[in-house]
Amino acid sequence: MVERVPPRTPRQAAPRPAHRPEPRPVRQRRRLRPRHLLASVAASAALLAGSAVPLGPLLPAPQQAHAADGKNVLTVAVSQSVDSLSPFLAQRLTSTSIHRLAYEYLVNYDPKDAHPVPGFATAWKPSADKLTWTFTIRGDSKWSDGKEATAEDAAWTFNKMMTDPDAATANGSFTANFDEVTAPDPATLVVKLKKPQATMTALDVPIVPKHIWEKVGDFSKFNNDKTFPIVGNGPFVITDYKVDQYVRLKPNKDFWRGAPKFDELVFKYYKDGDAAVAALQKGEVSFASNLTPAQATALKSTKDIKVNNAPGRRFYALATNPGARSKDGKKFGNGNPALLDPAVRKALFQAVDRGTVIDKVFQGYAVEGQGYIPPRFGSYFWQPSESQKIAYDPAAAAKTLDDAGYRKNGDGARLGKDGKPLNLRILCHATDPNDKAIGKYLQEWWGTLGIGLKVECLDNVSDPWLAGDYDLAFDGWSVNPDPDFVLSIHTCGALPATPKDSGATDNFICDKKFDELYARQSAEYDAAKRADLVKQMESRLYDTGYMNVMAYPNAVEAYRTDQIKSITTMPEAAGNIWGQDGYWSWWSAAPAEAGDGSGGSSSTGVLIGIGAVVVVAAALGGFFVLRRRSTAEDRE
């Protein structure tokens, strides 16, 4: 989701990500800037040793929690905080996933293969020169307060983002190329572009009701979390919210595609993913996501629980600080200047054993990382050639440093150009065992080069990240079917305006060649040509060494077959349930009937439902941005 992320998301690019590193709080008056959605896949020391961690005895009979009034309640447990309920500010995967439920986008993604399908718009058509897009807005969509949802609402949403920088915080990259947006009548939306834009059927922007939002003053401070229910036109309506406790939603009975099957949907905050898994064992939770390898192994043999292990839409990476700076040319932060040297970055990556990361940390529940876009998105997936590939070779890494003038002293410490020992820091999420486990390996691998590494595991990595106060960081984003968002966060235009501001940048990369390729792909309508340009961008990221993608984690989830009847995965053939590019999972979820112990799973998408309270453990504390922060999300 990104979710976008990440960090939009999730734009679950969610997309921000998103992710979009984990959503990052903005400095001063700005909002959290997450889009990384680096999935928090818990791994422990026992996990590193390859042993399964026992999850505790099951109760003789599962205990299913029922709402006091007898209603069917689907509760989704998440361990990532909501950064904002404002769709103009939210970039974390949890937040953007909720907004996908509460608001319609112009165009949605089909759950089978992610091709564009009608959303708020029923049809769309570009002009011959591709500079004018006309969307036909459906006539059967209503806001949850009963007012008709029209093209005027969409026009107002986009125009607000085009004229108010604060309203463009989360999704501004989508409208940066818009020249004019009008609604000549309730059923027609016209978007005029400055130049052709290939993402016009992938605008991951929630459309909001003009009659509600035009009353808002400062968009940078409005979190949309004081008045309930929140007016929307998606399949669900947000009815209540308590920080780091829960978000409650009810079905939108007037939703044009049909109302959801549950009487209530609850996203419940769990700081500890193990607690959610324990609840799954007891029958108090019907679904859990982001399982550790040890948890997945143990749950596979548990009665009435089915594990879903599907290709993921995220990447897990190391990001280096290329020298934090803003658009006005001012530098800030305290990144180690040695990382500005391509030779140092190359040597570090030559000393990273991706195979060990996959085998020992993810224990096979991931694919070895290469390019920036996960293999799930086949047309955009890129792999380095044999001559280009940076393989694990400690001896070659040492030679790279020697040749570049970074020699060891008598004590075996590698010296920087200033004559001092080369010591680095890496930002680590305190709640993510993957970060901690891989951090220990890095200390060992880089230690053989004579480079010291301090693993700084923090509850909040956002503040030092935004301030540029880091050398390296564990990074990750959820990627959307259209990769534009997760690519945009590495452009010069994503940098903050000044050191006091928070831009859409992931980690301050600003490379003219990358920007030139980005501009070309964003205006290329030929699918094959655009895919080739995206791959060139991935190649550029790889060669510059600012991003080292180590793994593509699987979506590892589990559900109780005695509580769940059906739910749609995305893609339906072999996909994920949590963090989808759309609202398909929770909108389609059907409760299991009383006494139904078969539930069953299906590789074609029927995996979940509930007959009572369902708690979905989505351990997404991560990097988020997406947008998505991460990846962001990342966002999604």
Side-chain angles (χ1 to χ4, degrees), residues 8-328:
R8 206 183 262 53
T9 255
R11 279 181 344 142
Q12 289 161 333
R16 114 103 114 93
H19 122 116
R20 49 286 215 285
E22 90 185 350
R24 308 186 296 191
V26 298
R27 289 172 303 208
Q28 296 194 354
R29 65 184 181 86
R30 287 151 303 117
R31 289 267 79 89
L32 287 178
R33 194 220 103 38
R35 286 192 190 195
H36 288 277
L37 349 161
L38 182 66
S40 203
V41 187
S44 62
L47 181 155
L48 285 174
S51 59
V53 178
L55 298 180
L58 287 172
L59 297 179
Q63 296 182 347
Q64 299 186 26
H66 294 267
D69 55 7
K71 292 182 178 180
N72 288 326
V73 180
L74 173 60
T75 303
V76 179
V78 297
S79 62
Q80 182 190 60
S81 298
V82 170
D83 53 330
S84 178
L85 286 182
S86 165
F88 295 98
L89 301 176
Q91 297 177 11
R92 290 182 178 176
L93 182 58
T94 296
S95 309
T96 56
S97 294
I98 292 173
H99 285 141
R100 286 183 181 273
L101 302 175
Y103 302 97
E104 273 276 39
Y105 294 0
L106 284 181
V107 182
N108 210 328
Y109 300 101
D110 187 273
K112 294 181 181 180
D113 58 10
H115 74 268
V117 295
F120 191 40
T122 59
W124 43 90
K125 183 179 180 180
S127 60
D129 62 4
K130 304 294 193 299
L131 292 178
T132 300
W133 281 73
T134 302
F135 294 86
T136 301
I137 303 302
R138 65 176 55 259
D140 56 353
S141 179
K142 291 183 178 180
W143 297 111
S144 52
D145 62 1
K147 295 184 180 296
E148 182 180 3
T150 71
E152 186 177 2
D153 295 298
W156 186 90
T157 299
F158 291 130
N159 276 299
K160 186 64 180 178
M161 294 170 62
M162 294 162 60
T163 57
D164 186 339
D166 292 320
T169 298
N171 301 301
S173 63
F174 289 116
T175 59
N177 182 47
F178 286 13
D179 184 42
E180 182 182 37
V181 181
T182 58
D185 60 67
T188 306
L189 177 73
V190 180
V191 180
K192 293 184 178 181
L193 306 172
K194 300 174 185 176
K195 59 183 179 180
Q197 182 170 325
T199 61
M200 292 306 290
T201 59
L203 300 174
D204 294 328
V205 177
I207 304 301
V208 303
K210 173 185 176 182
H211 66 283
I212 299 295
W213 284 84
E214 64 183 353
K215 302 173 185 177
V216 176
D218 188 343
F219 272 63
S220 72
K221 297 179 180 179
F222 184 72
N223 277 311
N224 198 30
D225 57 1
K226 303 301 180 184
T227 302
F228 298 95
I230 295 175
V231 178
N233 64 340
F236 290 89
V237 178
I238 302 173
T239 59
D240 195 13
Y241 167 62
K242 291 291 184 295
V243 177
D244 285 348
Q245 294 185 44
Y246 61 80
V247 179
R248 296 184 182 277
L249 306 93
K250 69 177 181 180
N252 180 357
K253 300 298 184 181
D254 295 324
F255 184 55
W256 67 271
R257 200 183 288 274
K261 300 175 180 65
F262 281 89
D263 298 313
E264 188 176 31
L265 173 63
V266 179
F267 288 84
K268 185 176 181 181
Y269 178 75
Y270 273 68
K271 185 175 183 179
D272 183 6
D274 288 335
V277 173
L280 180 70
Q281 288 184 293
K282 298 175 183 178
E284 298 171 351
V285 171
S286 293
F287 172 77
S289 69
N290 293 317
L291 302 177
T292 68
Q295 291 168 342
T297 298
L299 291 174
K300 281 181 179 178
S301 59
T302 302
K303 182 181 178 181
D304 296 328
I305 291 180
K306 178 69 175 180
V307 174
N308 177 46
N309 179 20
R313 55 185 285 251
R314 300 185 53 76
F315 66 78
Y316 183 100
L318 289 177
T320 61
N321 185 343
R325 58 200 181 284
S326 51
K327 291 179 183 178
D328 61 7

Side-chain angles (χ1 to χ4, degrees), residues 427-562:
L427 283 177
C428 156
H429 295 80
T431 57
D432 191 342
N434 284 340
D435 288 6
K436 296 177 181 178
I438 296 174
K440 292 181 179 179
Y441 278 114
L442 293 178
Q443 288 177 321
E444 175 186 343
W445 295 331
W446 293 350
T448 61
L449 297 177
I451 297 175
L453 179 66
K454 180 180 180 181
V455 181
E456 300 180 334
C457 293
L458 308 173
D459 290 330
N460 172 23
V461 303
S462 298
D463 287 345
W465 195 306
L466 279 175
D469 293 338
Y470 67 99
D471 298 329
L472 301 106
F474 290 106
D475 195 0
W477 287 88
S478 290
V479 179
N480 292 335
D482 189 292
D484 184 84
F485 181 80
V486 291
L487 297 173
S488 73
I489 59 178
H490 294 309
T491 61
C492 300
L495 294 175
T498 72
K500 295 182 179 180
D501 294 312
S502 176
T505 185
D506 178 22
N507 58 316
F508 305 103
I509 293 175
C510 178
D511 177 75
K512 289 184 178 180
K513 184 174 181 179
F514 183 89
D515 274 21
E516 291 172 358
L517 291 168
Y518 175 79
R520 290 173 60 191
Q521 70 80 31
S522 65
E524 180 56 69
Y525 282 87
D526 183 280
K529 292 180 179 179
R530 185 179 180 221
D532 180 66
L533 288 168
V534 169
K535 290 177 181 179
Q536 290 183 50
M537 295 176 70
E538 296 182 75
S539 178
R540 180 63 179 172
L541 272 181
Y542 188 90
D543 289 342
T544 57
Y546 292 124
M547 295 287 292
N548 178 13
V549 178
M550 295 183 290
Y552 309 115
N554 290 4
V556 188
E557 310 163 318
Y559 63 94
R560 293 202 65 95
T561 58
D562 55 353

